[in-house]
């Protein structure tokens, strides 16, 4: 391990967690090893050095966690009133706030996001997200529709928590991703087993511990670490899990659908994207250039809604490419713990190789490499750092314009008319998000209505509010993360017909 992580690991903030919790799942409020005793190593992507060793969960560990979660669901947690659940979520928000520096340092070491320019500035949004779900705990209501039945029949629609939820989340932002499961689980009175990504599990483990400290009964939230095809697959197929909340790739999403068929689990699938970001000639380029660039390069491109297909009206393509390339060159790529760093490393060597493979393929298929495209060396040679990369003159059929790259690679595709931009934007199996930059309200409204995607950002990119929510069209999945629709997904609905004859 080199100097970057050694300094951070020796801080008193992390030592207790990393040393004492090593090699353990968090089940029933306690730290327990795998039934098999097997472990997997997890690394710091900025240095390539070993960060921690995780328990390698398999069927037996998942069975154990599901048993515990079922007991907790039937046990004291059942008797928590909505007001008590709300109070608990608020206490958790306070603890989360108090431990925020520790959690973000851990997240930065684990998955490489810049500490000072990305993770720490996210504090208000994260705490607000937790508080949003605290309010949802008091907002669960049934209905009493008036019916037209003969006699004195009263009809009610009741709501009840679905039960045990399995959550499978990716590595690109676990601190945030877990909140969109923890929130609805705690608000509705469900219980959960979380399987974090093998490449970034640490903040999820630490958060589960904080929840118990906040007063959550043991067993309500459990974390089983391990490999997707083992622990994740066992959770998705488990006959006593009622719902799976999955965030990850479209390919694995298909596997989850198959695995869940056995007991007809409810599913929420938040999957991949290849989002269009459309810049019209009348856009304010002082805002559009940094907005589009950070929409692709933020988190080093490892964001599901990254606006990687940048459609630019032909008359401004040359100017746009020049300005976006200049902006990319101002971004500081490096040590995620350094104050001035804008972009950290990619998560693994494997991911770096994959992204570099796409850069090569883009060149071979005739896209013009305007800037970037190289791995960084020198002090950063042991980490997985890549320059922000910009392709110009891309056509929508090229591989770089069709496949999700999940790295800092933007493809600029020229267009002439709004109709053409719309047709090109929608020519993808994905439909997660999109952006439009224009000063003309007619153009904006045409795009807002015409784009087939779960989110349209206009003259901005990447804002998400839990009250509004987030979800996909087409192969970007189904289910909605946030808002009333999400809470409904964690509730069974039951009709009651009460025939009073007296
Ligand atoms: P991934 O390979 O699909 O993995 C996601 C999670 O699923 C990980 O915990 C993984 O475990 C687990 N997994 C893998 N194979 C599994 C299987 N057969 N059964 C059950 N679980 C399995 O995705 P990723 O590469 O980590 O993350 C990037 C992807 O996530 C991108 O496609 C991105 O667009 C998407 N994403 C979507 C959203 C959204 O809200 N729509 C948000 C963030 C990311 P291991 O880590 O151990 O393999
Ligand atoms: Mg890691």
């Amino acid at each position: 391990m080199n100097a970057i992580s050694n300094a951070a690991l020796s801080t008193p903030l992390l030592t207790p967690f990393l040393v004492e919790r090593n090699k353990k799942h968090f089940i029933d409020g306690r730290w327990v090893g795998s039934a098999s005793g097997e472990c997997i190593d997890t690394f710091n992507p900025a240095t390539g050095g070993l960060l921690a060793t995780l328990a390698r969960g398999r069927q037996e560990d998942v069975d154990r966690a599901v048993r515990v979660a079922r007991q907790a669901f039937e046990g004291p947690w059942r008797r928590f009133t909505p007001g008590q659940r709300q109070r608990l979520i608020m206490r958790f928000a306070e603890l989360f706030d108090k431990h925020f520096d520790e959690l973000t340092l851990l997240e930065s070491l684990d998955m490489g996001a810049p500490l000072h320019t990305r993770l720490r500035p996210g504090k208000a949004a994260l705490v607000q997200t937790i508080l949003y779900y605290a309010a949802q705990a008091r907002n669960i209501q049934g209905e009493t529709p008036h019916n037209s039945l003969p006699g004195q029949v009263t009809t009610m629609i009741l709501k009840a928590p679905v039960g045990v939820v399995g959550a499978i989340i990716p590595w690109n932002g676990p601190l945030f991703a877990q909140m969109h499961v923890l929130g609805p689980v705690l608000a509705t009175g469900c219980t959960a087993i979380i399987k974090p990504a093998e490449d970034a599990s640490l903040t999820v483990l630490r958060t589960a511990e904080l929840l118990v400290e906040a007063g959550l009964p043991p067993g309500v939230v459990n974390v089983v670490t391990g490999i997707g095809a083992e622990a994740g697959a066992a959770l998705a197929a488990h006959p006593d899990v009622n719902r799976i909340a999955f965030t990850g790739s479209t390919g694995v999403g298909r596997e989850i659908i198959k695995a869940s068929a056995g007991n007809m689990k409810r599913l929420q699938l938040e999957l991949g994207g290849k989002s269009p970001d459309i810049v019209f000639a009348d856009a304010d380029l002082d805002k559009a250039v940094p907005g589009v660039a950070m929409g692709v390069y933020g988190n080093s491109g490892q964001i599901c809604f990254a606006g990687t297909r940048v459609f630019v009206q032909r008359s401004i393509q040359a100017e746009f490419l020049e300005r976006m390339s200049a902006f990319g060159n101002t971004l500081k790529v490096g040590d995620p713990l350094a104050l001035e760093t804008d972009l950290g490393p990619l998560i693994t060597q494997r991911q770096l190789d994959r992204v570099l493979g796409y850069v090569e393929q883009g060149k071979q298929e005739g896209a013009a490499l305007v800037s970037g495209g190289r791995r960084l060396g020198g002090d950063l040679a042991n980490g997985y750092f890549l320059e922000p990369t910009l392709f110009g003159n891309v056509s929508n059929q090229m591989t770089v314009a069709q496949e999700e790259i999940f790295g800092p690679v933007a493809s600029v595709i020229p267009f002439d008319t709004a109709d053409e931009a719309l047709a090109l934007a929608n020519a993808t199996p994905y439909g997660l998000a999109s952006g439009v930059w224009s000063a003309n309200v007619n153009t904006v409204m045409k795009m807002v209505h015409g784009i087939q995607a779960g989110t349209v950002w206009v003259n901005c990119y990447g804002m998400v509010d839990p009250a509004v929510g987030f979800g996909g069209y087409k192969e970007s999945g189904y289910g909605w993360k946030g808002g009333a629709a999400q809470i409904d997904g964690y509730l069974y609905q039951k009709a009651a017909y009460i025939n009073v004859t007296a």
Side-chain angles (χ1 to χ4, degrees), residues 42-45 51 109-112 198-202 347:
T42 189
F43 301 90
N44 176 345
L51 181 61
L109 289 167
D110 205 4
M111 50 69 69
E198 66 193 83
D199 294 317
S201 294
L202 298 176
I347 185 77

Side-chain angles (χ1 to χ4, degrees), residues 195-221:
K195 205 304 278 179
E198 66 193 83
D199 294 317
S201 294
L202 298 176
T203 49
V204 177
L205 286 164
R206 182 69 180 115
T207 303
E209 193 177 34
L210 288 178
L211 278 165
V212 171
E213 204 182 317
L216 190 70
V220 174
V221 171

Side-chain angles (χ1 to χ4, degrees), residues 327-377:
F327 180 86
N329 290 334
T330 66
L331 295 174
K332 175 100 180 60
V333 186
D335 177 1
L337 303 183
L339 271 177
E340 68 283 3
T341 295
D342 297 303
L343 305 180
L346 299 182
I347 185 77
T348 53
Q349 179 72 51
R350 197 168 129 254
Q351 184 68 7
L352 177 67
D353 290 343
R354 219 179 133 248
V355 177
L356 285 169
Y358 278 114
V359 172
E360 224 19 72
Q361 202 164 355
K363 288 195 266 186
Q364 277 167 21
E365 291 179 19
L369 182 65
V370 179
S371 53
R374 285 169 311 182
R375 180 181 188 169
L376 295 175

